[in-house]
Amino acid sequence: MARRPKLSNVIAEDLLRWIARERLHPGDRLPNEKTLMEHYQCAKGTVREALRTLEVQGLVKMQTGPNGGAVIQPVPIGAVTQQLRTFLHFEELSFEQVYELRHSLEVTLALSVAGHLDGAQLARLEANIEECAEAMARDDRPGVRRAELAFHDILCDSCPNPLLTFMCRFINGLLRDLVEYRSQRLEEHHAFGRSNMESHLKLVAAFRDGDSAAVGRLMADHIHEAETFMSRLDAAFRSKDMLGR
Amino acid sequence: MARRPKLSNVIAEDLLRWIARERLHPGDRLPNEKTLMEHYQCAKGTVREALRTLEVQGLVKMQTGPNGGAVIQPVPIGAVTQQLRTFLHFEELSFEQVYELRHSLEVTLALSVAGHLDGAQLARLEANIEECAEAMARDDRPGVRRAELAFHDILCDSCPNPLLTFMCRFINGLLRDLVEYRSQRLEEHHAFGRSNMESHLKLVAAFRDGDSAAVGRLMADHIHEAETFMSRLDAAFRSKDMLGR
DNA sequence: CTAGATTTGTTCGTATGTATC
DNA sequence: TGATACATACGAACAAATCTA
């Protein structure tokens, strides 16, 4: 046992360390394939498999043409999200389980950003609330839900904790997808939208006042209400769609 | 714009859909390279790049020899973890930020498993505490820390929420690595070990009693103490090592 | 707008290492 | 031990994309 490691994997790991050591920024370029072939004394196909690894991980993007090659990408949050999703695709995940997490995470997020919100961010939050109101006026229910989730994404922008940010964004993305597939005929939609707007308004006010205690309490209540509504939405969907999932 | 997608990517996505449609189980095999070459009417290198994609995503593992080829792997948690780590490697993540999350997540985890612990799992927890005691007797400090983290991994085994499980396991893995690189000379290590053991014992007792309120309270205090110690450990490390990071 | 240069993408043929029987 | 089947790696060539003069 203990097989010889694949050469392309060795090269991929070496390139990864090199990127980290050189502190490469998005937009910077890796050496082209020919140079790498000479450096590692290996064939084209092997270099390509190594670059392929980095590309799948979202760290680089290949470009053809002059000055082409592997270009460093901005933080590959998309690729990571995608992989975590395909992982969860093999597990079974329910609405309640998502909210079991969201409950504490969004409160932690709110407390974390409470000190870091500047005027511009507060303005964005208020503009988002306005956007919700317009979508409600058009009776564009999926649009309302998307905009409401965007409110929480805006909070993520001001969060200094990258791990917390990632997890909250990931959960928002999950909910965004789940909500698209659910029935949009429920009577409660309007009441839910008004309740959300009220919560968001109160939250912005608490952020402005720098009242952390109020922020935590408001967010906890807000998520709790959202869970109640979402589970009803889910139940309605399941009873209509006999697949059960 | 809207470039022609790479053939290898098209094949990779097709294989992914095929795996999902056929409900392939871990251990099942994909067709070998030659068969795939004929099926997609493309060259070996192209098939290899497609398989490479799946391999990097952790869905398959390549095997040489007769009956070799791409073998479906069990849930690719390792690959997902790895990718999330390299992602965080480009962000800056501090000890405090990890604990900002761990605080709420471990409490949520404890409450989530409170009802699902059977006798076997409780026995494993007690065996783990015994293991900690032995490591302490040997004065094997890194061993103690590893075993203590294993206690929390055991809790994950009984958690029915796959997303919560993943995140707690991921954080445990982060701490495991961080602790390995930190100075192990601190006087407080022994006191910390005893405090942890006491917390773990109380937790197991609360789990046995099915006392959820106590479980939540004990875990919150436990993580809070751990954070206090860990940040001291971190400060000692940073002051000794002048790199600052 | 065209032509050429540059670089990745893909193909074919071949050889080597490795696991199974 | 040897034969077989398969992935791994090499090397040379051509196709396609993209930039620049």
Side-chain angles (χ1 to χ4, degrees), chain B residues 31-93:
Chain B
N32 65 28
E33 287 184 356
K34 195 166 70 173
T35 311
L36 291 174
M37 284 169 59
E38 289 162 4
H39 184 283
Y40 291 108
Q41 284 296 306
C42 68
K44 191 166 35 194
T46 309
V47 167
R48 283 183 62 75
E49 290 211 7
L51 291 175
R52 179 69 164 170
T53 305
L54 303 182
E55 193 185 16
V56 172
Q57 291 178 345
L59 271 91
V60 304
K61 193 168 178 345
M62 307 305 292
Q63 269 185 6
T64 61
N67 284 327
V71 189
I72 308 287
Q73 294 300 109
V75 276
I77 186 169
V80 183
T81 301
Q82 190 51 49
Q83 246 208 306
L84 186 48
R85 279 197 182 204
T86 62
F87 164 72
L88 290 174
H89 192 269
F90 289 89
E91 308 277 336
E92 312 289 346
L93 190 64

Side-chain angles (χ1 to χ4, degrees), chain A residues 7-24 29-33 35-37 39-40 42 46-55 57 59-60 62 70 72, chain B residues 52 86 89-90:
Chain A
L7 185 51
S8 47
N9 278 339
V10 176
I11 296 178
E13 282 168 29
D14 192 63
L15 285 173
L16 188 63
R17 278 193 298 273
W18 189 73
I19 292 173
R21 207 172 37 240
E22 298 289 325
R23 298 266 191 280
L24 292 191
R29 284 168 161 74
L30 255 50
N32 65 25
E33 289 182 358
T35 311
L36 291 174
M37 284 170 59
H39 184 281
Y40 291 108
C42 68
T46 310
V47 167
R48 284 186 61 76
E49 287 208 10
L51 292 174
R52 180 70 161 169
T53 305
L54 303 183
E55 193 185 19
Q57 292 178 344
L59 269 82
V60 303
M62 305 306 293
I72 307 288
Chain B
R52 179 69 164 170
T86 62
H89 192 269
F90 289 89

Side-chain angles (χ1 to χ4, degrees), chain B residues 88-191:
Chain B
L88 290 174
H89 192 269
F90 289 89
E91 308 277 336
E92 312 289 346
L93 190 64
S94 72
F95 246 117
E96 290 77 21
Q97 290 174 327
V98 174
Y99 269 93
E100 183 176 21
L101 264 160
R102 197 172 191 233
H103 236 292
S104 52
L105 283 184
E106 282 289 332
V107 172
T108 307
L109 174 73
L111 293 174
S112 174
V113 302
H116 298 78
L117 279 175
D118 58 12
Q121 297 300 319
L122 287 166
R124 283 184 65 200
L125 290 172
E126 281 165 347
N128 171 273
I129 294 175
E130 197 55 41
E131 201 180 314
C132 284
E134 288 166 13
M136 280 179 72
R138 288 197 308 275
D139 203 38
D140 173 13
R141 286 162 179 176
V144 177
R145 295 290 96 82
R146 275 196 300 273
E148 284 164 356
L149 283 168
F151 181 91
H152 296 266
D153 275 334
I154 295 172
L155 290 181
C156 289
D157 288 338
S158 303
C159 178
N161 185 337
L163 187 53
L164 179 56
T165 304
F166 170 79
M167 292 183 175
C168 287
R169 278 229 172 79
F170 180 78
I171 287 181
N172 290 344
L174 278 185
L175 293 176
R176 213 184 308 274
D177 278 11
L178 286 173
V179 106
E180 294 288 336
Y181 290 128
R182 258 49 181 179
S183 160
Q184 297 297 330
R185 301 272 161 74
L186 235 60
E187 297 307 316
E188 305 163 74
H189 264 279
H190 198 68

